[in-house]
Amino acid sequence: MSTLTIEQFLHQDYSKQTVDSYMFAINHFLKLNPKAKRYKYKNIVQYMEKISQQQPNAKYRVVILSAIKKYYDYLVMSEYRQDHPCKKLNIKVNSNQAVQVQDLFSSEELQLLLTRENRYENLDTRNNVLLNLLIYQGLTSDEIIRLNVQDVDLDAGMIYIKSSTNLNRRKLQLLAKQILLFSKYINEIRPKMLRSTTDKLIITKLGKPIAVNSIHAMIEPLKTLFPDKNLNPKTIRMSVICNWLNEKKLALEHVQVLAGHKWPGTTEKYIKVDSLQQRELINRFFPI
């Protein structure tokens, strides 16, 4: 059996704020359910149904269920249990409700994606540019493959993103450290890689415009950095938007513009539940 405490177990994957939030929900769950260690699926469903009756806001219910799931993850890891009673239990949320921000990546975690080197310098620079667009500008894979060289204005330090069916066009600022990288790629590396006539910014090692599946393939080897999380271009973008709101404390309206969202409600889904407010709600609806 593992000698790790559940709190130490959580700290392996989550920030202190998330761990504190999870521990509060777990301790509350255990106080109300002293036999929880032997609970089956139906017992947890009943508990979540009680919460649902008292607290209709899915944002809070998602956090509580996520914490309970981690409790049973810990029991399985510690060999107290062989099975996980609620691994497949999920909260139904509609498009206007919260994103499960606790499963996303912090800015520090996203930075780790840039530490992996490629043995080929050309690909290393190209991959760096691509990752930069994902973790600093929060672009979608589709937006990246549609970028042209002309969309990058190195003199102004800006990049222009075309509109799509779901997202607005926008003009995003490049960080100072990105300008040198992008300049090297556009002026030195990309011309060496080019094998056909194309204006597309990001090209493959064969010199052709990159496709969405190639972006996913480039991310695939990086998944080993986060074995317990779902790393892909979509979750990277979601993490960036979440961090703009919750780490950098940018205004909702500003983040809406940066993300290209057509409606503020879409951006609002990324706001994290305030830990203190969450505790007050749990105590109010489920006093011990």
Side-chain angles (χ1 to χ4, degrees), residues 14-267:
Y14 298 104
S15 67
K16 184 181 183 303
Q17 183 180 359
T18 301
V19 171
D20 289 345
S21 179
Y22 275 12
M23 285 304 301
F24 184 83
I26 289 168
N27 288 331
H28 206 280
F29 171 66
L30 294 178
K31 285 177 183 176
L32 292 176
N33 301 274
K35 297 180 181 178
K37 192 178 286 188
R38 297 188 296 276
Y39 267 14
K40 297 185 182 301
Y41 179 84
K42 66 177 182 180
N43 302 117
I44 298 158
V45 169
Q46 288 168 357
Y47 179 73
M48 294 309 299
E49 282 177 349
K50 289 179 183 176
I51 290 179
S52 180
Q53 290 166 9
Q54 298 289 340
Q55 178 47 260
N57 189 332
K59 182 184 292 188
Y60 297 98
R61 289 186 281 124
V62 164
V63 173
I64 292 167
L65 179 57
S66 296
I68 292 170
K69 283 185 173 184
K70 295 310 292 185
Y71 166 68
Y72 288 106
D73 280 341
Y74 171 72
L75 292 186
V76 171
M77 184 277 297
S78 302
E79 299 180 3
Y80 286 112
R81 287 186 68 131
Q82 297 297 316
D83 64 316
H84 190 303
C86 57
K87 198 171 189 70
K88 295 184 178 179
L89 179 62
N90 289 301
I91 302 292
K92 281 190 175 181
V93 294
N94 63 40
S95 59
N96 293 320
Q97 290 177 316
V99 170
Q100 295 193 33
V101 297
Q102 70 281 351
D103 294 331
L104 299 179
F105 302 90
S106 67
S107 293
E108 287 183 358
E109 288 174 324
L110 291 178
Q111 287 292 320
L112 293 176
L113 301 179
L114 295 171
T115 61
R116 186 161 184 151
E117 294 183 3
N118 196 296
R119 56 179 173 165
Y120 301 107
E121 183 189 356
N122 291 351
L123 282 183
D124 193 46
T125 304
R126 193 278 319 262
N127 289 355
N128 226 332
V129 168
L130 204 159
L131 284 169
N132 265 253
L133 292 169
L134 288 170
I135 71 172
Y136 292 125
Q137 278 71 41
L139 301 191
T140 68
S141 297
D142 186 60
E143 287 175 329
I144 289 174
I145 67 170
R146 292 190 294 119
L147 280 175
N148 292 330
V149 174
Q150 297 89 334
D151 294 326
V152 182
D153 186 341
L154 293 172
D155 292 332
M158 305 296 295
I159 185 164
Y160 301 92
I161 315 302
K162 303 176 185 70
S163 64
S164 65
T165 306
N166 299 317
L167 297 171
N168 291 329
R169 66 175 182 172
R170 54 207 189 277
K171 183 168 66 172
L172 300 175
Q173 192 164 8
L174 292 171
L175 302 179
K177 62 183 178 182
Q178 287 182 291
I179 294 174
L180 192 59
L181 170 66
F182 279 53
S183 176
K184 179 181 178 181
Y185 172 70
I186 290 171
N187 297 314
E188 298 176 31
I189 303 300
R190 186 179 173 279
K192 293 178 185 176
M193 297 173 66
L194 207 56
R195 296 290 181 272
S196 60
T197 303
T198 177
D199 288 332
K200 295 300 178 188
L201 176 66
I202 307 296
I203 56 177
T204 68
K205 62 182 179 182
L206 298 177
K208 297 180 179 179
I210 201 166
V212 167
N213 62 344
S214 296
I215 296 177
H216 282 260
M218 191 211 74
I219 297 295
E220 192 69 28
L222 300 172
K223 289 185 176 182
T224 56
L225 291 169
F226 308 104
D228 296 325
K229 289 189 178 183
N230 185 18
L231 180 70
N232 58 54
K234 182 178 179 180
T235 57
I236 293 173
R237 169 176 160 81
M238 292 171 71
S239 300
V240 172
I241 297 169
C242 180
N243 295 336
W244 281 336
L245 281 168
N246 301 294
E247 286 185 15
K248 297 188 177 179
K249 305 295 183 184
L250 300 182
L252 180 71
E253 299 80 7
H254 184 32
V255 175
Q256 181 188 349
V257 173
L258 292 175
H261 291 153
K262 293 183 181 293
W263 307 104
T266 307
T267 315

